Amino acid sequence: MSKLNFKEQVLPHLVSVAILAIVTILFFSPMFFGNKVIEQYDVTQGVASGQEIKEYRERTGEEALWTNAMFGGMPAYLINIKYQGEGILNFFQKVYSLGFPRQAEVILKCILSFYVLLIVFKVRPYLALAGAIAYGLGTFNIVSLEAGHIWKIEAIAYMPLVLAGIHLTYRGKLLGGFALTALALALEIDSNHLQITYYLLLTVLFYGIAMLVHAIRQKEVQPFLIRSGILVAAALLAVGTNFGRIWNTYQYGQYSTRGPSALVKEGESKQEGLDRDYVFAYSLTMAETMTLFVPDFSGGASNRNIGMDSNLASFLQRTNLNRQQIQNLVQNAPTYWGGKTPGTSGPTYAGAIMVFLFFIGCFFAPQPHRTWLVAATIFSIMLTWGRYFPSFNYLLYDILPGYNKFRTVEMAMVIALLCIPLLGLIGLEALLQSSWDDKIRKRFFIAAGTPIGILLLFILLGGALDFQSSADNRLAQQFGDQFLDAIQEDRPDLLRSDALRSLVFCLLATAALFFFKLERLSYLGLAAVVVLLSTVDLWTVAKRFLTEEDYVRERNRFTAMIATEADEFIIQQNNSHARVLNLQNPFNDGVTSYFHASIGGYHGAKLGRYQDLIENHLGEEMNRMIQSLQQGQRDFTNTPVLNMLNTRYIKAGEVQNAVIVNDQALGNAWLVSQVQTAENANEAIEAIGTINPAQTAVVNTSDFELPSTTFSSEGEISLVEYEPNYLKYEANVAAESFAVFSEIYYPDGWEVKINGQETDYFRANYAFRALTIPAGQHTIEFSFNPASYRVGSMVSLISSILLLLVSVAALVLSVRPIGKKVPVA
């Protein structure tokens, strides 16, 4: 048995982690030294959306599980819910983040996880620094961070750690591999970004196939199967720690916009998943893939500062615009000419050094890793082409399980962003340890010359590309053809400039490797050069998209959530929990939910039937309302769905006079005398635009069996107690009545009792709750108490305790004397 050598086996990692922490601190220096935070739009929207849930938790110590603060009401599963056992995972996260502020911590996790991955793949610590920093400071992460996509980056951060655990297991480190895989995958799932986790599973699939083929060739199928079984057990434990979250997400997914639509379009079968055009809106052109290597290949962001020495500035100076107007246009020049029709906040840049090393890896990395990493990279890139490679991607949309539930196919690039630096550093390590004979020299110069040659072609011939964007026609109409000509002359200049920049980095890396092989540069010297070049490369590009202007004082971070005069007026007036419609971008606005029960909201997966209401009724009703208001009229008889949603307040601005009160809102609940039947969802959604909802309700009789279609409407019903997950009504009716509630129908979790006796309820008016009430005085209670949370939360707690015990055992055994090493797969 050999003892642990601190100097060789521990100290390099301590030094490396310290360096990685320092790099992160310096990159986020305004946060650490200026007491500032990044002003993130999505975080602001998310905090506002979850305010009702947070307040309920603070007041009761329990989870609401439902919120009425957005989209008329929806489960809170994907907004802000805590589960039993979550504290154990939170403990691991706090230790792993080294106590860094939240916005910096997610990038640090990316860096540390990739460092661990490279170490597991036998890359030496100081070389591993280069890949770790590149993975963390890639523009995909930085642009996402600036936007506030924290959980997406969190999921990206744990991808390398999961892969490290899997590889450790196949290397024969069974307990350590099991513990690391289970813990990392549990954290990955806990990040609650299913699309990134989906891409991780695709990456693991490529790895697993490669390991299987390798095992067959080496006649080691039995060890492979044993280790695979251990990994399955680790995955089950990870799933168990997140069982409640997974169950609720799956259950909700069936009724959200990601699930099958209740409506059937003419000539089409019932569709499951997102609309294809919606899925492929953020597709990259094939040429745009080169932003991995040249950040400004497609113009960078949709709008960026191109300087007063640009062609656009020269043209504008010949016009009648003043200097301030010219500067404003130059600072927000429409430079992007890629394929994402909604535009972009920045390119997906992997780093010139990392792409250069990727080519090195293609020639020098050992098998089977070279094959699967190249294959996964190519597959990832093909996914990002989306609608620009329809024969491949539309087929996957139709046949690949779950693929049609995700949008923004550009996000598939996370696979390439993991594989490129991994193959690059594995290949670099192999090159450094190889001899320097004629064969190796030839392979080296081919490997290094290929990316250098590509960059030279861009510099010399890049101007021959088509630099037109889908937005150019609009630009020509708005600013004129000469403005557009100037922009299109600037775009190739941006490409050549960044291609030259990448070329310089590649030439410097080539020289460093050449001098190392000639023994003119030591290993530490080479590692220092590679780390420095990679850090400068990624740092300087990342800073284009995260500048000092993106930071604000902590006290100013959530200024959007300060109640305006209009908000205060509504709060004072609204004592019946009526809903509010903010006419300013209502269906992409979470801030209104901070103060009110909003008709709109901010969420990527609203209930599918509510989205149908938006597309088939609410959009049109809002347009009619606005036209009526512009004509000085306040007639809400032509807005039946808004009235059913109890939309009593319309917010047209931020002052009190901008609040319009809708006296036609039907209240929290009302009694109807007639029930009109519909045979399917299409008939039901069409019918609710033609009825008088105060007198008639529409029920789909293929889903619900009615006792009658005629009821008494004499009596009253009122809401007397409100919680997000509990509604209590008092009803007094003369005869059997049919009550419609201004609450969104959801089939799993809501329990209804009349005078303490559980009863069934209906879905009426396509998306609302309804109930038959016998004659007399009654207390009606709606309670949201889904079994998926109760049972799932308990399973999560038990699994989390098991995970903790396994992790502690693996840690204790890992610091014991190390025995004979197991050969690397």
Side-chain angles (χ1 to χ4, degrees):
M1 301 291 284
S2 59
K3 291 185 179 181
L4 192 67
N5 189 318
F6 179 83
K7 184 177 180 180
E8 294 182 5
Q9 296 176 276
V10 178
L11 183 60
H13 298 306
L14 293 178
V15 172
S16 296
V17 170
I19 291 172
L20 296 175
I22 291 170
V23 168
T24 307
I25 290 170
L26 293 177
F27 185 83
F28 294 102
S29 57
M31 196 178 301
F32 288 91
F33 305 117
N35 193 29
K36 293 183 177 181
V37 294
I38 302 169
E39 189 175 24
Q40 299 165 305
Y41 175 82
D42 274 24
V43 171
T44 300
Q45 300 294 317
V47 170
S49 298
Q51 183 63 17
E52 182 182 45
I53 305 164
K54 178 185 174 184
E55 289 177 351
Y56 181 83
R57 181 187 300 128
E58 291 175 347
R59 179 163 46 83
T60 67
E62 299 175 353
E63 295 301 310
L65 305 180
W66 183 275
T67 179
N68 289 296
M70 66 171 80
F71 299 119
M74 62 184 289
Y77 303 145
L78 301 182
I79 303 171
N80 183 353
I81 289 298
K82 297 183 182 297
Y83 294 83
Q84 293 185 58
E86 215 171 66
I88 294 174
L89 287 182
N90 290 340
F91 169 76
F92 284 118
Q93 290 175 342
K94 288 178 181 178
V95 172
Y96 196 45
S97 63
L98 303 182
F100 277 35
R102 177 62 172 153
Q103 295 173 329
E105 132 196 339
V106 289
I107 300 299
L108 177 65
K109 288 177 181 176
C110 290
I111 293 172
L112 292 178
S113 293
F114 206 81
Y115 176 80
V116 172
L117 176 64
L118 290 173
I119 295 302
V120 170
F121 271 88
K122 295 299 183 181
V123 177
R124 283 172 282 182
Y126 298 132
L127 276 181
L129 291 173
I133 293 170
Y135 185 75
L137 297 186
T139 57
F140 189 87
N141 290 340
I142 301 305
V143 170
S144 298
L145 180 68
E146 191 273 336
H149 301 164
I150 289 289
W151 293 109
K152 178 170 73 177
I153 308 172
E154 185 101 359
I156 291 170
Y158 293 122
M159 287 177 67
L161 211 58
V162 174
L163 190 57
I166 294 172
H167 186 59
L168 197 63
T169 304
Y170 280 118
R171 281 179 47 205
K173 304 290 187 180
L174 302 185
L175 179 59
F178 174 86
L180 182 57
T181 303
L183 175 59
L185 186 56
L187 293 168
E188 169 72 31
I189 298 171
D190 183 64
S191 299
N192 205 25
H193 199 290
L194 294 180
Q195 188 167 358
I196 297 298
T197 304
Y198 189 88
Y199 294 138
L200 170 61
L201 294 179
L202 292 178
T203 307
V204 170
L205 181 63
F206 276 93
Y207 174 89
I209 293 172
M211 291 299 102
L212 174 60
V213 173
H214 179 74
I216 293 172
R217 288 177 176 174
Q218 298 298 317
K219 302 186 186 307
E220 296 176 349
V221 174
Q222 185 177 1
F224 172 83
L225 293 176
I226 292 172
R227 294 165 186 178
S228 298
I230 290 171
L231 289 172
V232 170
L236 291 174
L237 182 56
V239 168
T241 62
N242 291 276
F243 188 71
R245 188 183 306 280
I246 293 171
W247 187 357
N248 282 323
T249 301
Y250 169 76
Q251 186 185 73
Y252 176 68
Q254 300 176 71
Y255 308 110
S256 77
T257 52
R258 309 298 172 102
S261 174
L263 301 177
V264 178
K265 295 181 181 178
E266 186 175 350
E268 296 183 5
S269 58
K270 196 169 185 177
Q271 178 180 316
E272 182 172 350
L274 297 172
D275 180 76
R276 193 175 70 180
D277 293 338
Y278 182 70
V279 167
F280 293 110
Y282 284 89
S283 299
L284 304 182
T285 62
M286 294 183 183
E288 198 170 358
T289 302
M290 293 310 301
T291 60
L292 287 166
F293 200 13
V294 180
D296 268 353
F297 187 92
S298 295
S302 294
N303 300 93
R304 57 167 297 184
N305 187 348
I306 55 175
M308 293 301 291
D309 58 346
S310 61
N311 292 300
L312 178 61
S314 298
F315 161 70
L316 293 174
Q317 286 168 356
R318 298 192 298 270
T319 65
N320 295 324
L321 298 177
N322 60 45
R323 182 172 181 80
Q324 185 60 52
Q325 290 173 317
I326 293 173
Q327 287 181 338
N328 289 340
L329 288 170
V330 168
Q331 289 173 0
N332 295 282
T335 55
Y336 178 67
W337 57 281
K340 292 175 280 187
T341 49
T344 182
S345 298
T348 304
Y349 182 55
I353 295 296
M354 289 301 114
V355 174
F356 170 82
L357 292 179
F358 178 78
F359 281 94
I360 297 292
C362 289
F363 284 83
F364 291 98
Q367 293 290 12
H369 304 306
R370 186 196 316 171
T371 299
W372 81 263
L373 285 168
V374 170
T377 301
I378 294 172
F379 177 75
S380 168
I381 290 171
M382 291 168 65
L383 290 180
T384 68
W385 291 341
R387 68 178 185 274
Y388 299 106
F389 192 16
S391 59
F392 176 74
N393 285 299
Y394 288 176
L395 177 63
L396 291 186
Y397 171 86
D398 291 331
I399 68 173
L400 194 62
Y403 190 62
N404 61 5
K405 296 183 184 299
F406 305 118
R407 63 169 302 206
T408 315
V409 293
E410 174 199 15
M411 209 178 296
M413 195 65 84
V414 297
I415 299 175
L417 293 173
L418 186 150
C419 294
I420 287 171
L422 178 56
L423 179 61
L425 270 298
I426 293 174
L428 176 60
E429 186 65 68
L431 171 62
L432 298 188
Q433 297 184 28
S434 65
S435 60
W436 191 235
D437 54 30
D438 290 343
K439 182 180 179 181
I440 295 297
R441 277 197 296 272
K442 182 179 179 180
R443 288 168 61 192
F444 169 73
F445 285 119
I446 293 174
T450 301
I452 290 173
I454 292 171
L455 292 170
L456 285 172
L457 283 176
F458 289 150
I459 293 170
L460 297 174
L461 305 176
L465 296 170
D466 180 6
F467 290 91
Q468 298 182 9
S469 80
S470 58
D472 283 353
N473 289 335
R474 178 182 56 78
L475 289 174
Q477 293 174 359
Q478 186 175 0
F479 298 107
D481 290 336
Q482 290 181 304
F483 179 96
L484 180 60
D485 291 342
I487 282 292
Q488 292 182 348
E489 290 175 6
D490 280 318
R491 289 170 180 167
D493 290 344
L494 293 172
L495 187 157
R496 291 193 186 95
S497 175
D498 265 4
L500 179 60
R501 176 188 181 278
S502 293
L503 177 63
V504 170
F505 279 111
C506 290
L507 290 173
L508 290 173
T510 303
L513 289 173
F514 185 69
F515 282 121
F516 172 82
K517 297 305 288 187
L518 293 179
E519 298 183 354
R520 304 286 182 84
L521 191 63
S522 68
Y523 162 72
L524 286 178
L526 174 68
V529 170
V530 174
V531 171
L532 180 63
L533 289 176
S534 180
T535 302
V536 171
D537 177 17
L538 272 299
W539 183 301
T540 51
V541 175
K543 283 297 183 181
R544 297 179 186 178
F545 306 101
L546 185 64
T547 66
E548 290 280 348
E549 296 176 356
D550 294 309
Y551 290 87
V552 296
R553 296 288 181 188
E554 178 69 48
R555 63 177 179 272
N556 298 328
R557 184 181 182 189
F558 297 121
T559 53
M561 290 181 288
I562 297 175
T564 65
E565 183 180 310
D567 292 320
E568 294 285 4
F569 173 76
I570 295 172
I571 292 169
Q572 292 171 7
Q573 297 292 317
N574 189 8
N575 54 12
S576 61
H577 302 283
R579 292 195 174 88
V580 177
L581 169 62
N582 189 341
L583 291 177
Q584 299 174 331
N585 196 24
F587 302 117
N588 199 29
D589 156 53
V591 174
T592 301
S593 300
Y594 188 86
F595 304 104
H596 317 290
S598 177
I599 291 298
Y602 187 85
H603 200 274
K606 63 180 75 70
L607 282 167
R609 283 182 176 262
Y610 197 85
Q611 180 64 30
D612 294 338
L613 290 181
I614 293 172
E615 294 175 358
N616 291 273
H617 290 287
L618 292 178
E620 295 179 6
E621 289 186 12
M622 284 173 53
N623 290 333
R624 291 197 295 265
M625 179 196 300
I626 291 171
Q627 292 176 1
S628 174
L629 293 173
Q630 288 174 341
Q631 296 170 1
Q633 302 175 0
R634 295 193 177 186
D635 181 9
F636 295 99
T637 57
N638 205 21
T639 57
V641 178
L642 283 171
N643 293 342
M644 285 189 276
L645 284 165
N646 195 21
T647 313
R648 187 158 303 272
Y649 302 97
I650 291 86
K651 186 180 171 186
E654 304 303 338
V655 297
Q656 179 176 330
N657 290 340
V659 178
I660 299 113
V661 179
N662 173 17
D663 293 329
Q664 299 295 316
L666 292 172
N668 305 111
W670 61 97
L671 303 175
V672 298
S673 56
Q674 297 288 329
V675 174
Q676 181 176 321
T677 61
E679 294 185 1
N680 52 52
N682 290 59
E683 284 189 12
I685 199 167
E686 183 178 352
I688 61 174
T690 62
I691 63 170
N692 177 357
Q695 299 175 358
T696 305
V698 177
V699 174
N700 184 346
T701 51
S702 64
D703 294 333
F704 301 94
E705 185 176 345
L706 285 169
S708 172
T709 57
T710 304
F711 297 90
S712 169
S713 61
E714 294 182 14
E716 57 183 20
I717 181 171
S718 59
L719 178 69
V720 295
E721 188 175 340
Y722 171 86
E723 294 288 0
N725 57 359
Y726 175 78
L727 302 168
K728 182 177 180 180
Y729 301 83
E730 296 292 344
N732 187 2
V733 295
E736 184 179 42
S737 302
F738 193 86
V740 181
F741 301 84
S742 66
E743 307 298 330
I744 299 301
Y745 178 91
Y746 187 74
D748 292 320
W750 280 106
E751 300 171 351
V752 185
K753 293 181 179 180
I754 297 180
N755 299 331
Q757 297 295 316
E758 190 168 342
T759 187
D760 294 328
Y761 65 108
F762 303 91
R763 182 183 60 240
N765 296 346
Y766 190 75
F768 295 83
R769 298 176 212 164
L771 185 69
T772 56
I773 306 173
Q777 294 185 359
H778 306 286
T779 298
I780 302 168
E781 297 171 286
F782 281 82
S783 302
F784 193 59
N785 187 28
S788 57
Y789 180 80
R790 298 193 312 273
V791 178
S793 195
M794 182 57 64
V795 173
S796 296
L797 175 60
I798 295 170
S799 300
S800 297
I801 294 172
L802 289 175
L803 178 61
L804 177 62
L805 294 175
V806 170
S807 301
V808 171
L811 180 63
V812 170
L813 292 176
S814 69
V815 298
R816 293 175 60 186
I818 299 174
K820 186 177 179 180
K821 295 183 178 179
V822 179
V824 179

